[in-house]
Each structure stands twice: as C-alpha cells, then as structure tokens.
Amino acid sequence: MTIDESLLAHAENMELFACAYAGTGHLPLDALESRGVAVTNASGVHGPNIAEHVVGAMLTFTRKFLRAGRQQSRREWRHFQAHELQGSTVTVVGLGAIGQAIVERLDGFGVETVGVRYSPEKGGPTDEVVGFDDLHDALVRTDYLVLACPLTDDTRGLLDAAAFDTLPSHAVLVNIARGKVVETDALVSALRGNHIRGAALDVTRPGTPAGGPPLWTFENVLITPHMAGHTPEYYSRLADIVAENVAHVTEASSYDDLRNQVQ
C-alpha cells in the first residue's frame, strides 16, 4: 500500500504518522519531513508471531508432518522415520527484531545458531555472528536456513544457484523475509535436483497451473500466503506503540524521542 503525496495536502494538521508496518519504503518520507510530520514504524510487533511461525515450519520438516498429513488423507497407517531439531545448526540471515525473536525461541531446542548481518561487529543473540562476506562459510554447515532480512539491493537474489550449491542436501529453507531474496528458478532447480530437503515459503508467488514457478507441485514445500505475522495480537502490540507515543507527546509536548521513530 502506498500513499499518494498529493493526499498530504489535505492533512494540514497532521503531526505524527504511525506506520502499521516495519518497513517505510512505501511512504513519501521526504514530503512528510518537509511538512514536519514525525514518522514511526511497527518494528518489533512481528517478532513473537513470525518467530512462532518459523519454529513451527522447522518442526514440520523435522517431524515430517507434511508426510503425516498426506498419509492421513489416504488413511494410511505406515511408520516413517522422523528426526530431532536438537543438535542442528540454524542460520538466521538478518538479526533485526524478528531475527532476534526467532533466535530467542530456539533457545530451548538445543541448537547451534549462526547470525548473518551487515555489521557483525554489533554482535547478536546467536552463538556466532558473521557478515555477508562469510555467508557461504555459514551455509555449508547449515541445517535450517531462516531468511529474516529486509529486501535491499544487497539481499535481492541473495540465495542464488551458488548458495543452493553450498547448502547441504539435507538443509531446509524457511523464508519469511521477501520472496525476491531468493532466486525462484534456482530454488526450483534445487528442489528438483534434491539439493535441499525442502522449503517453507511465506513470501513467494508459487505460480498457477497455467504458468509460473511450479512450487505448488512439490511435496517437500510448505506454502503459506504471507500470513506469518497475521495474528490478532499484532494489532494489540501496534496499539501499545501508538498509545505510548501519544502519552509521550502529551507529557513532553514534543514529537522527538518517540518509540520506533523513523524521522
């Protein structure tokens, strides 16, 4: 959703724009700044819900729930071998609020965690933090790869054919970032060639039977329609941010030092 800059001319008294998303790339920030409008985002409100989605996706592949569902639909009682999450290495690309929430919820599963971020010197909650220059060194020892980074010029197509070649064949991809962080053709090739064990995709366009990437057809792909962050509690957390900022403005008579202030 974008905001037409011409609409701002009708909001003469607006002093605060509380964005309902973590990203603000769709906003006319320069125009808002020129009008003296403070802008806040919803950073942090996605953490608990998306982190639970990621853990659920990982357990789905670890315990082979996709296969269990197929067997149940056929009323087929046949034993199969599942695995354990414990002892796995989970690489999380992006250590913002969502990435950190994911790592926190993995703490009790006995996994090793590797964080990948632009500024590794800042550290993070993972057992190890590396920069994007060392991405392939992290991928080669990854069992579960979680993408939780923003879409930028640097991350667009980050997971290309070379990255899938580097990942172990038993690795699972979980993408809750943006679809374009992954090169779809490279992903399809990796799945077809059994170069990865599977993928959980919340932010992809899987195509239709008439055309497009055939991701619908893979039994080792879990597709959700960009709903990892959609829970009723999301709006409660968003309202808490707005209420806190309104209270601050009332008490301080200032639009500076707001929570999640972008500008």
Side-chain angles (χ1 to χ4, degrees):
M1 180 179 180
T2 59
I3 295 178
D4 191 329
E5 189 174 333
S6 64
L7 290 176
L8 297 179
H10 301 284
E12 298 177 356
N13 298 320
M14 183 169 63
E15 297 187 65
L16 170 64
F17 186 94
C19 181
Y21 309 111
T24 56
H26 62 294
L27 299 178
L29 293 178
D30 291 341
L32 288 165
E33 184 177 18
S34 68
R35 288 169 170 78
V37 178
V39 178
T40 61
N41 67 10
S43 177
V45 300
H46 294 91
N49 39 7
I50 293 184
E52 289 183 5
H53 181 98
V54 169
V55 173
M58 292 171 60
L59 290 173
T60 293
F61 281 91
T62 301
R63 304 307 300 177
K64 295 189 176 180
F65 290 148
L66 292 176
R67 176 171 177 174
R70 292 193 297 272
Q71 290 190 187
Q72 181 177 346
S73 68
R74 298 191 296 262
R75 300 185 181 184
E76 178 181 327
W77 182 269
R78 179 188 296 182
H79 178 80
F80 57 85
Q81 183 67 65
H83 301 282
E84 297 180 4
L85 193 56
Q86 179 171 281
S88 300
T89 297
V90 181
T91 297
V92 180
V93 180
L95 288 179
I98 293 173
Q100 292 183 41
I102 292 168
V103 174
E104 290 170 2
R105 280 154 184 79
L106 289 172
D107 187 55
F109 285 93
V111 300
E112 289 291 318
T113 54
V114 180
V116 182
R117 66 185 311 174
Y118 284 115
S119 304
E121 65 274 7
K122 293 181 178 179
T126 50
D127 296 309
E128 180 183 351
V129 179
V130 301
F132 277 82
D133 290 343
D134 296 316
L135 175 63
H136 281 258
D137 290 337
L139 293 182
V140 76
R141 47 198 170 99
T142 294
D143 300 303
Y144 293 88
L145 175 62
V146 181
L147 301 180
C149 54
L151 178 63
T152 66
D153 290 340
D154 292 322
T155 62
R156 188 182 303 273
L158 182 69
L159 236 64
D160 55 11
F164 283 112
D165 286 342
T166 302
L167 281 168
S169 60
H170 62 265
V172 172
L173 167 67
V174 181
N175 188 7
I176 50 84
R178 287 292 183 267
K180 292 182 179 179
V181 175
V182 179
E183 288 190 358
T184 303
D185 290 345
L187 170 60
V188 170
S189 295
L191 290 165
R192 280 178 171 161
N194 295 318
H195 297 310
I196 60 172
R197 179 154 54 103
L201 309 171
D202 188 55
V203 287
T204 189
R205 294 190 179 275
T208 65
L215 293 171
W216 291 115
T217 64
F218 290 102
E219 291 187 345
N220 59 341
V221 174
L222 173 64
I223 295 174
T224 50
H226 201 181
M227 43 68 65
H230 293 178
T231 63
E233 288 76 14
Y234 170 92
Y235 297 100
S236 296
R237 289 192 289 271
L238 178 61
D240 288 342
I241 294 174
V242 176
E244 180 181 326
N245 284 334
V246 169
H248 172 82
V249 170
T250 301
E251 294 174 7
S253 298
S254 170
Y255 287 88
D256 296 324
D257 300 321
L258 299 173
R259 180 180 170 187
N260 284 7
Q261 186 158 9
V262 177
Q263 67 178 29

